[in-house]
Amino acid sequence: MMSVPAPQKDMRMFLIFVVVVLTSPIWLAPIGAGYPQLLQAFAIFGIFAIGFNVLFGLTGYLSFGHAAFLGAGSYTAVWAFKLLSMNIIPAILFSMVIAGLFAALIGFVCLRRSGIYFSILTLAFAQMSFNLAYSVLTPITNGETGLTLEAGDARILDPVYENAAAGGLPSPNFFGLEMADFGGYAGVYVCFAVLILAFYVYLRIFRSPFGLKLLAIKSNQNRMGYTGFNTRPYLMAAFVISGIYAGLAGGLMAVTDPLAGAERMQWTESGAVVLMTILGGVGTLFGPLLGATLIEYSENIFSAVNKTELIEMFSFLGQDGAAAMASVLSLFVGEGWLLTLGALFMIVVIFLPGGMMQGISIINERFFSKKPAGDGEKPGAGKAQEV
Amino acid sequence: MSDIVLNVSGVNKTFGGLKALTDINLKIEAGKTHAIIGPNGAGKSTLLNVCVGRLEPDSGVVDFNGTSLTGKTPYQINQLGVARVFQTPEIFPDLSILHNVMIPAFAKKEGEFSFNPLASLFGSNEVQDEAEHVLNDLGLTSHRDEHAGSLSRGDKRRLELAMCLVQHPKLLLLDEPTAGMSRHDTNRTIDILKKIKERGMTKVIIEHDMHVVFSLADYITVLAQGTIIAEGSPEEVKGNPKVQEAYLGGEHV
């Protein structure tokens, strides 16, 4: 087995990560993923998933309610736009703070239980939040219509003339740089910058004594007690950190598209982040990012394909062949892309319980390993469990 | 009498109708190795569980260096300086051996909770040195980077001992530390425990293996059916007819 990865190795890995992220619009273009909306989604769900991994990957506590924090972040950001300023900085900061407070509240109650009871409690809280946002809290959330910007919003920090200008709605900006500038790539690079910062903090958490203690809680919580640790505050801290990451992701959603709806708090969103994390590799450093990217990518690719395109694709089979093929495959595309996701998820869980990262380290060991197995794998693969 | 580290007085514990412990009085002296022996079901483990906060006594007081342990949680009791080796090894199977020992060292250094998510593990040299020192003492250095879960049973028990020793506890409770070990491993463990004794660590040891008990103990308490039937030096206990009848005799007949 490997020893503690050296800090230099981590730094190198982080720099590679930065380069990979910043150049992604170029190398993702050939596979049809090089457009702003999808790139933003990669970054945003990547942040959501790495934050989730701090809780689920390190402590083993499976929350089914993180959409509540995502939604809270979005609502907060839109309110920050409405009341304070169209600058994204207060919006992002407030979305993290509010989501963190919200997570502290929910975590305080849910962390009294562990295992399945914890999961169910978080699910219940998130669904409660969803229903509140959808109906009772309409004055704050604007109910089923969703919260949007309006021309008459206060925006007390913004100069008045800007508000009056152009007649239309203002758009979120970073000290004047509007998210829609450069064909939307301003927004993309804001998301990338935040992702890189978020990933750096996440890496530090993984490599800290705090992260090690969280892993120990996952490994044997009972022993942690007899070792002199009060595990509750550790779990609470992990829960709040992951809530802050979710809030940050929600805030960025509003930054790139300034509206917030209750559906962001639905259990399906909570489920999505669980799927992303498991698909990529729970507890691994890069797994959740890969999972988030894969799911967002396949959603965009598979849901965009329709039956006519399928018939065209299989035209080499002849008219009947193409029609038959298309009618089978059409179940898996368009509206039915979730079926593809389901199948993919099943395959990964059955054959690669460690997620895509396990697949990567297997490939690495088999084909690229110079040293004995376990030492020559890609940075991050399996290492996360170690530290 | 020298300093009393652990003072158990008038402890009663019942499970449903079963009297597990009846009016137990026990004084553990500083620096001594105190063995608790007795047939199966005598209440030895229950007594240890009461001492570490796993169980609340129905009545009576457990007092550690003048602090009552009643109502304290296991982590609070550990922070007072009580460490425990379990009957079945309680380790962190998913972590490396080194990390298994570093974690208790962190508990000793930083207390029950410290929030430092941005501190680097690489900078924890002091803790790591301490952990490596203990691993070296117990002959586990060669396994340093292995997953604890992959160790043999005997090595797991030694690891658990290392996890306790790295905290330099004032009182070490050992629940059958050599159960299931080969004769070789048992002797090795005895040697380790003798070495600790030289450092003046107080120990309470529950053990079935008379070889272990008589090689280590300064003082022996014999439990049977939840009551103390005899206590004294190993020689006194050995010669006590009540003990021979209840325990030593009972096991050989």
Side-chain angles (χ1 to χ4, degrees), chain B residues 10-203:
Chain B
V11 162
N12 287 287
K13 180 76 194 173
T14 54
F15 295 112
L18 180 76
K19 287 196 124 190
L21 295 175
T22 312
D23 193 29
I24 301 290
N25 293 291
L26 206 60
K27 284 182 175 22
I28 314 286
E29 284 178 56
K32 293 286 161 60
T33 301
H34 193 128
I36 298 173
I37 62 172
N40 283 325
K44 305 184 297 289
S45 292
T46 307
L47 180 55
L48 218 51
N49 283 333
V50 167
C51 294
V52 293
R54 194 179 223 181
L55 291 172
E56 279 281 298
D58 298 335
S59 64
V61 183
V62 180
D63 202 86
F64 175 73
N65 276 342
T67 315
S68 167
L69 297 186
T70 314
K72 288 227 169 20
T73 59
Y75 73 83
Q76 288 168 327
I77 292 175
N78 176 281
Q79 287 290 349
L80 288 173
V82 183
R84 173 172 185 184
V85 174
F86 286 81
Q87 207 169 348
T88 45
E90 289 271 356
I91 53 169
F92 303 113
D94 308 311
L95 305 183
S96 72
I97 310 295
L98 178 64
H99 286 160
N100 261 273
V101 184
M102 280 173 76
I103 284 177
F106 276 123
K108 172 83 177 176
K109 190 174 163 229
E110 299 174 348
E112 60 178 67
F113 177 69
S114 74
F115 183 66
N116 47 357
L118 298 183
S120 173
L121 207 48
F122 309 124
S124 313
N125 294 328
E126 199 184 311
V127 165
Q128 187 170 336
D129 288 349
E130 232 173 292
E132 282 180 355
H133 185 74
V134 174
L135 285 177
N136 192 34
D137 276 359
L138 297 203
L140 285 165
T141 305
S142 56
H143 298 288
R144 207 190 88 139
D145 297 324
E146 281 173 37
H147 273 162
S150 65
L151 288 178
S152 71
R153 194 179 149 89
D155 283 346
K156 278 183 188 160
R157 315 209 87 194
R158 263 194 298 157
L159 172 61
E160 197 184 14
L161 189 55
M163 292 163 72
C164 291
L165 293 182
V166 79
Q167 297 192 316
H168 305 292
K170 295 185 185 112
L171 174 65
L172 178 62
L173 307 174
L174 300 128
D175 196 349
E176 300 194 28
T178 64
M181 272 193 189
S182 66
R183 182 50 70 185
H184 172 75
D185 278 345
T186 302
N187 286 333
R188 205 164 162 187
T189 307
I190 291 173
D191 287 343
I192 293 165
L193 292 175
K194 275 184 177 160
K195 234 197 262 175
I196 308 167
K197 195 176 165 188
E198 287 160 17
R199 291 184 213 151
M201 192 181 288
T202 314
K203 295 193 294 296

Side-chain angles (χ1 to χ4, degrees), chain A residues 47-198:
Chain A
I47 292 168
F48 192 17
I50 59 174
F52 189 73
N53 201 33
V54 171
L55 180 69
F56 184 37
L58 292 182
T59 72
Y61 275 63
L62 174 56
S63 161
F64 267 115
H66 265 49
F69 313 129
L70 187 79
S74 276
Y75 281 124
T76 310
V78 175
W79 272 113
F81 288 142
K82 286 165 87 73
L83 298 179
L84 297 173
S85 162
M86 287 310 290
N87 193 319
I88 60 174
I89 298 296
I92 288 176
L93 290 181
F94 275 106
S95 62
M96 289 166 73
V97 169
I98 298 294
L101 291 174
F102 195 36
L105 185 74
I106 290 186
F108 181 76
V109 179
C110 296
L111 286 169
R112 295 183 171 271
R113 290 284 170 271
S114 62
I116 188 80
Y117 304 101
F118 168 78
S119 302
I120 295 299
L121 277 171
T122 52
L123 176 63
F125 265 104
Q127 282 304 93
M128 262 163 63
S129 312
F130 165 69
N131 280 307
L132 284 176
Y134 201 74
S135 53
V136 182
L137 293 179
T138 299
I140 300 174
T141 62
N142 205 16
E144 50 186 303
T145 327
L147 191 63
T148 48
L149 300 178
E150 278 158 41
D153 289 336
R155 284 195 283 278
I156 50 172
L157 298 178
D158 283 351
V160 182
Y161 63 86
E162 258 182 37
N163 284 344
L169 290 170
S171 74
N173 65 72
F174 178 67
F175 301 106
L177 176 75
E178 293 197 356
M179 293 303 108
D181 285 351
F182 302 104
Y185 278 96
V188 170
Y189 277 91
V190 162
C191 289
F192 282 174
V194 176
L195 171 67
I196 287 167
L197 264 177

